[in-house]
Amino acid sequence: AQSVTQPDIHITVSEGASLELRCNYSYGATPYLFWYVQSPGQGLQLLLKYFSGDTLVQGIKGFEAEFKRSQSSFNLRKPSVHWSDAAEYFCAVVLRGLTGGGNKLTFGTGTQLKVEL
Amino acid sequence: GAVVSQHPSWVICKSGTSVKIECRSLDFQATTMFWYRQFPKQSLMLMATSNEGSKATYEQGVEKDKFLINHASLTLSTLTVTSAHPEDSSFYICSARVLAYSYNEQFFGPGTRLTVL
């Protein structure tokens, strides 16, 4: 079945430590790939996206993600986490080649990041 | 950047009453708006897609008579939860996109917390 999987429901890291959030997808073709962050009381904010080209994508707030076709993965990374990064992170996909109503985001289950000071 | 607002940010209502949630694109015209529902500690589930001036397209399992969506203008979409019951209590999030027939970034509102007593 087509799906977006975030294996880690919760992750706790110390401030200043590196971070990697996992995302795997199961689709017949490579979809468009996104990472969003959701902070309490705020809307979802796009961190970065991958459509094509360079498989290492740079985003906002110091985040990056690497697309690996062989692993059907799009993991999010940050070299040094700040306390303000504590939030819920969602991986999402849009299937290629679809228009209109098919052109819509499907979200993973999310990973809650806690940052220890 | 593009801003999407939602009103109200939270609402408490009695069972059996109807509640209207507004979603506005503040600085751009949104030909397509999406409504999501998010349960605690869970992902966003797409409820429906609406294009300005036409009927909304509902996802499978979403009751169109219960969740009325109106997208009357390029900057406003409303979701009305009719005859609300406690099981309708949830976090409702809207998003807006500029073009309906090619992928463009979706901008998300901050969400509306609905509690039905």
Side-chain angles (χ1 to χ4, degrees):
Chain A
Q2 297 178 332
S3 65
V4 182
T5 304
Q6 293 180 246
D8 305 304
I9 298 175
H10 297 99
I11 283 186
T12 300
V13 299
S14 299
E15 188 175 38
S18 63
L19 171 70
E20 182 170 33
L21 302 182
R22 296 182 290 166
C23 174
N24 294 93
Y25 61 90
S26 175
Y27 289 88
T30 301
Y32 299 123
L33 299 157
F34 306 83
W35 275 99
Y36 285 87
V37 59
Q38 184 181 33
S39 299
Q42 299 184 26
L44 271 75
Q45 183 179 23
L46 178 67
L47 289 174
L48 45 78
K49 60 189 176 189
Y50 174 76
F51 283 11
S52 64
D54 193 344
T55 57
L56 184 62
V57 180
Q58 301 298 319
I60 62 171
K61 303 185 178 185
F63 285 93
E64 66 178 27
E66 185 172 13
F67 166 61
K68 292 186 177 180
R69 184 188 305 275
S70 61
Q71 298 178 18
S72 297
S73 68
F74 188 56
N75 293 349
L76 181 71
R77 302 194 295 246
K78 187 169 184 177
S80 178
V81 170
H82 189 262
W83 64 266
S84 60
D85 293 325
E88 184 92 21
Y89 290 81
F90 291 97
C91 181
V93 307
V94 171
L95 296 182
R96 295 175 186 266
L98 299 181
T99 58
N103 196 348
K104 56 192 178 185
L105 280 165
T106 299
F107 288 88
T109 49
T111 298
Q112 182 71 47
L113 174 65
K114 180 180 177 182
V115 180
E116 292 183 331
L117 300 176
Chain B
V3 179
V4 177
S5 70
Q6 281 185 242
H7 179 79
S9 55
W10 59 270
V11 57
I12 301 173
C13 69
K14 293 182 178 180
S15 185
T17 61
S18 294
V19 174
K20 180 183 286 188
I21 302 170
E22 292 186 349
C23 175
R24 293 182 185 273
S25 56
L26 298 185
D27 50 4
F28 67 100
Q29 294 185 324
T31 54
T32 304
M33 286 187 169
F34 303 85
W35 287 95
Y36 295 84
R37 184 173 182 177
Q38 185 180 28
F39 291 104
K41 308 297 184 183
Q42 295 188 29
S43 188
L44 285 75
M45 301 300 297
L46 181 64
M47 299 174 66
T49 303
S50 72
N51 292 300
E52 184 264 338
S54 61
K55 290 184 178 180
T57 301
Y58 290 80
E59 295 299 302
Q60 190 172 9
V62 178
E63 299 175 62
K64 59 182 65 177
D65 293 332
K66 178 165 204 47
F67 299 101
L68 300 179
I69 292 172
N70 183 279
H71 191 166
S73 78
L74 287 172
T75 59
L76 174 64
S77 176
T78 60
L79 168 67
T80 301
V81 183
T82 62
S83 186
H85 289 92
E87 57 266 30
D88 299 324
S89 298
S90 191
F91 194 54
Y92 293 89
I93 302 171
C94 74
S95 73
R97 190 174 73 195
V98 175
L99 294 178
Y101 298 108
S102 67
Y103 183 76
N104 268 335
E105 182 177 342
Q106 287 182 224
F107 301 95
F108 288 82
T112 297
R113 175 76 60 193
L114 170 63
T115 301
V116 184
L117 302 177

